[in-house]
């Protein structure tokens, strides 16, 4: 579903590479966890996949299409939740969702059904009429999630999605991710919460200093290093580098 | 007190960005140059105003000198400076609420309520001081030089400039704090911000009126009457704000014991006013900033009967356009400095005509001037241009997105669609402004054909400028802000656009007065040239738009 080839990116003039030639393949039907310490390059990778940043080198293909050549078509495949949900504070929740629905050309009935269903599941249906500026961090997070999921994109890209969610919403989201992947779709998410990754990911990649250190299923990685918990493995991998 | 001072220091450095400027000078030259540029651009646009003021003071001194009344210059300077600092103070104080510098951090510190208000007061006072120094400096400077005053006079001038804004600023806080408190209680903060912003308007118009009356007046006889007769300016102002007379007596008698006593009295009174403010308002101020971010919760359940209205699907352009309009008009700071300008024009015209019957006459006389009426289509067009530009809609269209712009980039929206929506947003309000101006022209019985031409010229010019605005805001956007204030008021791009339209205005006046061609030819030339520029700009933006969006990191 996602194929990342030799991807490099550096910010500004100082040319410190935020990403240094990474290669990655994410398959259909899997939940892929992207792990790494702060500043490793997770958000940068995600911004490149979603077309927010321009890559210096390499290429990214989503469903066989290059983000360079077909940005709009690629973006239509993606439901994206950024790490910081600070968006459009002066719109109300429902206005925001309608805007997103218009952008993804959703019909009236479709958006109605999906918005009502998702906002009930995430328990924010009562505040949809209010200005987003009055939402708490978690409520904004939920709203952006609903916006990203309601148009049923085959690929979910979530940057630290569990941060700021209450336990119940996090649980709901985890179930949704599983359901989504089981239908043959793809979930790509970054996190530093290891136990989440350990429990729900089919495969994970660990990134540090702009380089992929290791990729594989949780089991594979554990076997490789003879470690019983992912946390130990994670710490070891990012320490002994 | 010392806590208040250190808090004030924090406020001041965050408001004026002086520290950041020096840091940028070291590490980030580009940003430093940008802020210095903005400062000089603003200075440049004000310099003609100051120059005019200086010139008028000199002339006025000569008039008044003949009848040995030159002391009035001092009184007038103080009146103007007090008035001006009051207006500016209202704006500063209201802006202070917008900036919401207190944040949660400062509120959580163990500071006394009185210290917070005092710190805030000092912060605003710094802005006031600059204004006061300029206005007092020009007037009293003229007086000092012309009367050959000694060095002591200039020392007094400095002291007076320090003293003048103190009381007007106290008054501003006395007015605004209770209003904001009500805003907080009723959770209608935005509405009250807009209302109190509008409150400044009549004062600003009154100020403009006085300036015109006193400084630009050519008739010395009339001027002296206006100043000194019963119910003249000084009489009225002396009654409304008697303390200003106290200070002017002090300055004029600065080399006498009595004069010094007057100044000391004014100082003591000023300090007592501040003290009074702290006693009366500290608590209310505190409660007016606390919870300032709360918004009225109007629990709005999605109920089934309304579904048809709630879930409405729109085309991509109209949904983007609607988003632009909502985001701009719902942010008070954007609204006040942007689209509202268009709607204030007729209101201002109305007040000017109401208060000043003569200006009505002047306009009629002007409009009966053949040379003006001949080219009224072009003049009208330029007024429309000016009004449309002053909305700052397109010249801040990227900056206003702030950090949200990155998210917008992740959505499958074509760059052309996004830009078209931003352009249309400007064009719609430009057209509304155009209609306003046209109505005004119709009111003065200008031929319909000229009105149509004015509308055409104005709007085509505006199209050019709107695209230029989009391009420059793409080139130098201000995306990293935590307060919408920064996207609008600390943004160099609208200033550039306004200066550019002033350039067009200057060139037009020169062309009209120098080149004698039939008006219809000139009008065709205007439409032709701006049309060609429009096509060039269109091609440019079409070619480069994707690149421009990509370049924003
Ligand atoms: N806008 C930016 N400008 C300059 N450097 C940046 C910017 N965003 C991220 N970086 C740098 O790129 C590196 C990777 O950051 P990021 O992708 O945000 O990491 P993560 O999401 O894994 O915590 C860090 O060293 C960070 O400092
Ligand atoms: Mg990150």
């Amino acid at each position: 579903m996602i194929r990342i080839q030799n991807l490099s990116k550096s910010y500004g003039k100082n040319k410190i590479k935020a990403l240094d030639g990474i290669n990655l393949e994410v398959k259909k039907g899997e939940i892929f966890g992207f792990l790494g310490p702060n500043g490793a390059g997770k958000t940068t990778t995600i911004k490149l996949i979603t077309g927010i940043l321009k890559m210096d080198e390499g290429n990214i293909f989503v469903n066989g299409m290059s983000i360079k050549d077909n940005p709009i078509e690629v973006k239509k495949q993606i439901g994206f939740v950024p790490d910081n949900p600070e968006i459009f504070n002066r719109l109300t929740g429902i206005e925001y969702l309608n805007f997103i629905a218009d952008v993804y050309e959703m019909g009236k009935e479709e958006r109605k059904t999906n918005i009502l269903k998702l906002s009930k599941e995430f328990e924010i249906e009562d505040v949809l009429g209010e200005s987003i500026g009055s939402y708490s961090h978690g409520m904004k997070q939920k709203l952006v999630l609903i916006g990203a999921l309601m148009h049923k994109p085959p690929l979910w890209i979530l940057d630290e999605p569990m941060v700021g969610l209450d336990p119940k919403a996090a649980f709901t989201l985890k179930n949704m991710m599983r359901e989504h992947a089981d239908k043959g779709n793809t979930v790509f998410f970054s996190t530093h919460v290891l136990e989440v990754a350990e429990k729900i990911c089919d495969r994970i990649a660990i990134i540090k200093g702009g380089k992929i250190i290791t990729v594989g299923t949780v089991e594979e990685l554990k076997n490789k290093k003879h470690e019983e918990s992912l946390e130990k493995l994670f710490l070891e991998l990012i320490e002994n580098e | 007190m010392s806590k208040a001072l250190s808090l004030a220091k924090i406020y001041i450095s965050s408001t004026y960005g002086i520290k950041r400027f020096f840091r940028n000078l070291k590490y980030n030259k580009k940003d430093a140059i940008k802020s210095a540029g903005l400062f000089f651009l603003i200075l440049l646009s004000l310099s003609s105003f100051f120059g005019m003021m200086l010139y008028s003071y000199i002339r006025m001194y000569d008039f008044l000198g003949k009848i040995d009344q030159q002391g009035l210059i001092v009184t007038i300077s103080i009146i103007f400076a007090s008035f001006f600092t009051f207006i500016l103070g209202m704006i500063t104080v209201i802006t202070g609420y917008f900036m919401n510098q207190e944040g949660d951090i400062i509120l959580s510190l163990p500071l006394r309520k009185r210290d917070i208000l005092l710190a805030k007061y000092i912060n605003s006072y710094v802005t006031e001081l600059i204004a006061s120094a300029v206005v007092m400096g020009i007037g009293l400077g003229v007086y000092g030089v012309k009367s050959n005053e000694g060095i002591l006079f200039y020392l007094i001038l400095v002291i007076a400039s320090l003293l003048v804004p103190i009381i007007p600023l106290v008054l501003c806080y006395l007015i605004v704090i209770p209003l904001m408190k009500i805003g907080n209680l009723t959770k209608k903060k935005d509405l009250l911000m807009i209302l109190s912003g509008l409150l400044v308007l009549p004062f600003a118009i009154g100020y403009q009126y006085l300036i015109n009356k006193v400084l630009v007046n050519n008739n010395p006889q009339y001027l002296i009457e206006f100043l000194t007769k019963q119910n003249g300016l000084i009489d009225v102002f002396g009654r409304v704000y008697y303390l200003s007379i106290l200070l002017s007596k002090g300055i004029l008698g600065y080399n006498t014991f009595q004069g010094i006593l007057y100044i000391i009295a004014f100082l003591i009174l000023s300090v007592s006013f501040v003290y009074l403010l702290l006693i009366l308002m500290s608590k209310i101020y505190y409660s007016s900033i606390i919870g300032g971010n709360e918004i009225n919760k109007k629990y709005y359940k999605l109920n089934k009967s309304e579904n048809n209205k709630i879930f409405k699907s729109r085309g991509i352009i109209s949904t983007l356009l609607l988003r632009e309009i909502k985001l701009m008009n719902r942010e008070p700071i954007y609204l006040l400095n942007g689209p509202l300008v268009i709607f204030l024009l007729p209101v201002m015209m109305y007040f000017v005509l109401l208060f000043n019957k003569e200006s009505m006459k002047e306009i009629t006389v002007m409009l009966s001037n053949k040379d003006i009426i001949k080219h009224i289509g072009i003049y009208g067009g330029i007024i429309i241009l000016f009004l449309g530009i002053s909305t700052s809609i397109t010249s801040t269209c990227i900056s206003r997105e702030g950090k949200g712009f990155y998210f917008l980039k992740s959505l499958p929206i074509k760059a052309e669609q996004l830009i078209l929506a931003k352009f249309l947003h400007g064009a719609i309000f430009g057209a509304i402004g155009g209609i306003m101006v046209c109505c005004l022209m119709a009111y003065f019985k200008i031929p319909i054909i000229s009105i149509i031409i004015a509308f055409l010229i104005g709007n085509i010019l505006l199209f050019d400028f709107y695209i230029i605005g989009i391009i420059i805001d793409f080139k130098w956007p201000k995306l990293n802000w935590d307060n919408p204030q920064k996207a609008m008021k600390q943004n160099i791009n609208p200033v550039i656009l306004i200066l550019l339209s002033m350039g067009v205005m200057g060139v037009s006046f020169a062309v009209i007065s120098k080149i004698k061609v039939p008006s219809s030819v000139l009008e065709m030339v205007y439409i032709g040239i701006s049309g060609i520029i429009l096509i060039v700009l269109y091609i440019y933006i079409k070619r480069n738009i994707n690149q421009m969006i990509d370049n924003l990191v």
Side-chain angles (χ1 to χ4, degrees):
Chain A
M1 187 70 191
I2 310 176
R3 203 165 77 243
I4 298 177
Q5 286 176 348
N6 198 25
L7 185 66
S8 289
K9 170 79 194 172
S10 46
Y11 286 102
K13 291 190 199 85
N14 48 359
K15 291 289 169 209
I16 299 168
K17 283 201 165 175
L19 289 180
D20 191 1
I22 69 170
N23 288 288
L24 209 60
E25 177 119 27
V26 181
K27 299 188 197 98
K28 279 191 178 149
E30 72 180 358
I31 300 181
F32 193 95
F34 201 41
L35 267 74
N38 291 329
K42 303 182 294 291
T43 299
T44 305
T45 309
I46 285 178
K47 281 182 172 171
L48 287 167
I49 302 174
T50 50
I52 294 173
L53 290 178
K54 215 178 155 186
M55 57 198 89
D56 298 341
E57 279 166 52
N59 210 340
I60 298 172
F61 297 90
V62 172
N63 227 348
M65 290 177 294
S66 157
I67 177 88
K68 277 187 189 165
D69 307 332
N70 267 322
I72 301 290
E73 286 311 309
V74 167
K75 287 173 187 175
K76 278 186 184 162
Q77 311 271 317
I78 296 175
F80 167 54
V81 177
D83 53 351
N84 182 0
E86 290 303 326
I87 35 125
F88 313 155
N89 274 341
R90 290 283 172 179
L91 293 187
T92 65
I94 190 70
E95 283 170 345
Y96 169 77
L97 294 177
N98 265 317
F99 169 71
I100 297 290
D102 286 335
V103 167
Y104 287 91
E105 294 163 358
M106 294 171 73
K108 194 169 157 186
E109 283 310 311
E110 186 192 3
R111 75 177 70 182
K112 182 174 144 186
T113 324
N114 293 357
I115 290 175
L116 288 178
K117 178 168 162 278
L118 285 167
S119 61
K120 188 156 276 157
E121 270 174 298
F122 284 111
E123 300 179 316
I124 61 166
E125 77 261 45
D126 284 347
V127 297
L128 283 183
E130 285 169 34
S131 175
I132 297 173
S134 72
Y135 285 17
S136 71
H137 183 91
M139 282 150 80
K140 286 181 190 171
Q141 186 88 358
K142 290 177 183 177
L143 184 73
V144 177
L145 251 172
I146 295 173
L149 307 189
M150 70 179 179
H151 56 92
K152 305 237 156 58
L155 172 59
W156 292 0
I157 294 186
L158 318 172
D159 197 355
E160 310 269 1
M162 307 298 173
V163 175
L165 288 185
D166 51 61
K168 189 169 173 212
F171 180 76
T172 310
L173 177 62
K174 277 183 251 171
N175 283 342
M176 285 179 170
M177 285 159 77
R178 187 73 268 163
E179 238 175 74
H180 191 62
D182 288 348
K183 283 185 200 150
N185 297 308
T186 312
V187 179
F188 180 91
F189 78 105
S190 76
T191 183
H192 56 254
V193 186
L194 297 162
E195 48 185 23
V196 174
E198 191 169 6
K199 267 197 208 118
I200 61 172
C201 290
D202 299 313
R203 287 197 309 144
I204 59 171
I206 295 176
I207 181 172
K208 192 204 163 194
K211 289 189 171 133
I212 304 271
I213 299 176
T214 183
V215 188
T217 64
V218 178
E219 289 309 313
E220 275 170 17
L221 294 185
K222 278 183 191 166
N223 289 339
K224 235 199 264 180
K225 289 275 180 176
H226 312 288
E227 293 287 354
E228 67 281 10
S229 89
L230 188 60
E231 184 171 13
K232 270 194 186 157
L233 175 72
F234 180 72
L235 289 174
E236 185 170 304
L237 280 172
I238 63 172
E239 293 283 309
N240 313 337
E241 219 289 273
Chain B
M1 184 73 185
S2 70
K3 274 187 187 166
L5 284 182
S6 31
L7 184 56
K9 258 197 230 156
I10 296 173
Y11 282 158
I12 289 168
S13 84
S14 93
T15 311
Y16 306 98
I18 301 166
K19 272 210 184 120
R20 198 179 37 211
F21 177 73
F22 283 108
R23 204 172 49 230
N24 281 343
L25 210 54
K26 254 191 190 158
Y27 303 109
N28 190 346
K29 293 254 181 343
K30 217 168 119 197
D31 273 8
I33 291 171
K34 256 193 255 169
S35 1
L38 180 61
F39 184 72
F40 282 112
L41 277 182
I42 291 172
L43 222 58
L44 188 75
S45 50
L46 290 176
S47 63
S48 65
F49 175 69
F50 293 143
M52 194 188 79
M53 218 162 148
L54 182 66
Y55 173 69
S56 310
Y57 270 120
I58 294 174
R59 253 187 7 183
M60 204 156 58
Y61 185 95
D62 294 340
F63 289 147
L64 294 169
K66 284 184 200 139
I67 49 166
D68 208 24
Q69 289 283 337
Q70 60 271 50
L72 287 179
I73 297 269
V74 172
T75 316
I76 293 168
S77 301
I78 293 172
I79 290 175
F80 276 166
S82 311
F83 206 157
F84 189 58
T85 48
F86 175 72
I87 296 169
L88 190 70
M90 289 294 283
I91 297 169
T92 319
V93 173
I94 296 164
T95 308
Y97 273 93
F98 277 114
M99 304 258 284
N100 188 33
Q101 286 170 318
E102 283 70 25
D104 294 339
I105 295 179
I106 285 178
L107 287 179
S108 72
L109 297 176
L111 291 163
R112 285 189 314 169
K113 291 170 183 157
R114 193 172 290 184
D115 289 337
I116 295 179
L117 178 56
L118 183 59
K120 202 75 189 180
Y121 179 90
I122 294 172
N123 182 35
S124 311
Y125 176 71
V126 172
T127 313
E128 298 279 277
L129 212 50
I130 299 167
S132 151
V134 172
V135 179
M136 292 286 286
I138 294 176
L140 265 66
V142 168
Y143 179 84
V145 172
K146 286 240 168 199
S147 319
N148 286 322
E149 298 290 348
I151 189 86
L152 186 59
F153 177 80
Y154 296 96
L155 183 69
I156 296 291
L157 164 59
V158 171
I159 294 174
S161 304
L162 289 170
L163 291 180
V164 159
I166 296 181
I167 296 176
L169 188 57
V170 168
L171 295 180
C172 295
Y173 274 103
L174 286 176
I175 295 170
V176 175
I177 292 175
L179 274 177
M180 290 301 165
K181 168 81 186 173
I182 296 169
N184 232 358
L185 281 180
T186 54
K187 305 273 176 222
K188 290 220 169 16
K189 194 178 158 209
D190 289 349
L191 181 68
L192 268 139
M193 290 230 176
I194 291 172
L195 284 182
S196 49
L198 292 180
L199 199 69
V200 184
L201 202 70
F203 289 102
I205 295 170
Y207 188 69
Q208 194 62 36
Y209 170 71
L210 278 184
I211 290 259
N212 279 335
K213 201 97 194 180
V214 176
L215 294 185
V216 195
N217 204 302
N218 274 319
N219 183 345
Q221 195 56 46
Y222 174 78
L223 176 68
I224 289 167
E225 230 173 64
F226 175 72
L227 291 176
T228 54
K229 68 170 187 214
Q230 222 175 6
N231 288 324
L233 175 66
I234 293 174
D235 184 31
V236 169
F237 207 85
R239 262 183 280 149
V240 176
Y241 183 43
Y242 176 72
L243 297 175
S244 64
I245 305 296
L246 214 61
L247 183 61
S248 90
K249 279 184 181 165
I251 294 174
L252 287 170
Y254 74 94
N255 42 15
T256 65
F257 179 64
Q258 204 182 13
I260 300 295
L261 271 188
Y262 274 128
I263 292 177
I264 292 176
F266 189 76
L267 169 76
I268 293 173
L269 277 165
S270 298
V271 174
S272 340
F273 262 78
V274 176
Y275 192 67
L276 198 72
L277 172 72
L278 295 182
I279 292 177
L280 286 177
M281 287 289 165
S282 288
K283 275 209 185 110
I284 305 178
Y285 178 71
Y286 188 78
S287 65
S288 76
I289 50 173
I290 209 160
N293 292 325
E294 288 172 27
I295 298 173
N296 195 8
K297 300 236 173 207
K298 55 165 188 248
Y299 275 106
Y300 173 105
K301 277 234 179 198
L302 295 178
N303 79 46
K304 295 248 157 50
S305 64
E306 277 186 291
N307 276 348
N308 279 332
K309 264 187 280 168
I310 297 169
F311 302 100
K312 190 169 160 36
S313 88
R314 292 185 176 81
I316 182 75
I317 297 295
S318 61
T319 200
L320 282 168
L321 178 61
L322 205 65
R323 186 191 74 103
E324 295 283 342
I325 295 176
K326 280 178 185 163
L327 288 181
M328 181 143 199
N329 291 358
R330 287 180 187 173
E331 188 71 65
I333 198 86
Y334 296 161
L335 182 64
L336 280 171
N337 293 287
L340 206 64
V341 176
I342 287 176
F343 300 98
L344 291 183
L345 174 87
V347 179
M348 260 156 72
M349 270 314 269
Y350 175 76
F351 276 113
V352 168
L353 294 178
L354 187 72
F355 287 134
N356 191 352
K357 296 272 180 327
E358 276 148 53
S359 59
M360 185 73 191
K361 257 188 243 150
E362 279 162 27
I363 292 175
T364 334
V365 170
M366 208 167 75
L367 288 179
S368 57
N369 180 334
K370 277 228 176 67
D371 282 336
I372 290 180
I373 197 76
K374 203 168 83 182
H375 293 296
I376 193 75
I378 293 175
Y379 285 120
I382 286 170
I383 294 174
I384 293 173
L385 169 69
F386 220 65
L387 197 63
I389 291 302
S390 54
T391 60
S392 305
I393 291 177
T394 62
S395 52
T396 59
C397 70
I398 305 298
S399 303
R400 288 197 317 265
E401 301 278 1
K403 292 171 191 149
F405 191 72
Y406 304 121
F407 180 69
L408 207 59
K409 266 172 99 176
S410 79
L411 299 176
I413 300 169
K414 291 201 184 92
E416 292 91 349
Q417 296 169 336
L418 184 66
I419 298 312
L420 180 60
K422 288 181 182 294
F423 174 80
L424 286 176
H425 181 199
I428 286 172
F429 281 87
I432 295 175
I435 291 169
M436 298 268 185
V437 174
C438 287
C439 290
L440 220 61
M441 289 170 84
Y443 177 78
F444 287 108
K445 307 222 167 34
I446 286 164
I448 184 83
I449 182 76
S450 299
I451 297 181
I452 293 173
I453 287 171
F455 190 79
L456 265 178
I457 292 180
N459 277 285
I460 300 178
L461 275 175
L462 268 180
F463 290 172
D464 292 346
F465 271 81
Y466 283 149
I467 298 183
I468 295 172
I470 293 174
I471 292 173
I472 59 179
D473 204 39
F474 256 112
K475 271 244 158 6
W476 304 294
K478 226 177 159 69
L479 288 171
N480 267 319
W481 45 261
D482 38 23
N483 190 296
Q485 184 89 10
K486 293 190 179 145
M488 196 84 185
K489 300 195 96 178
Q490 294 175 18
N491 192 340
I492 196 165
N493 301 330
V495 186
I496 294 178
L497 218 58
I498 287 172
L499 285 179
L500 220 62
S501 63
M502 281 177 165
V504 170
M505 189 151 73
V507 169
S508 300
F509 283 138
V511 165
I512 288 174
S513 60
K514 289 278 179 297
I515 303 173
K516 297 288 175 223
V517 288
S519 57
S520 55
V521 173
L522 205 56
E523 283 156 7
M524 292 308 284
V525 170
Y526 262 82
I527 294 177
I529 292 180
S530 37
I532 291 170
I533 295 176
L534 185 62
I535 293 169
V536 172
L537 286 170
Y538 175 76
I539 294 171
Y540 175 85
I541 204 164
K542 183 126 181 115
R543 284 222 183 119
N544 292 293
I545 186 62
N546 282 310
Q547 173 104 45
M548 277 153 58
I549 289 192
D550 281 342
N551 285 348
L552 290 182
V553 177

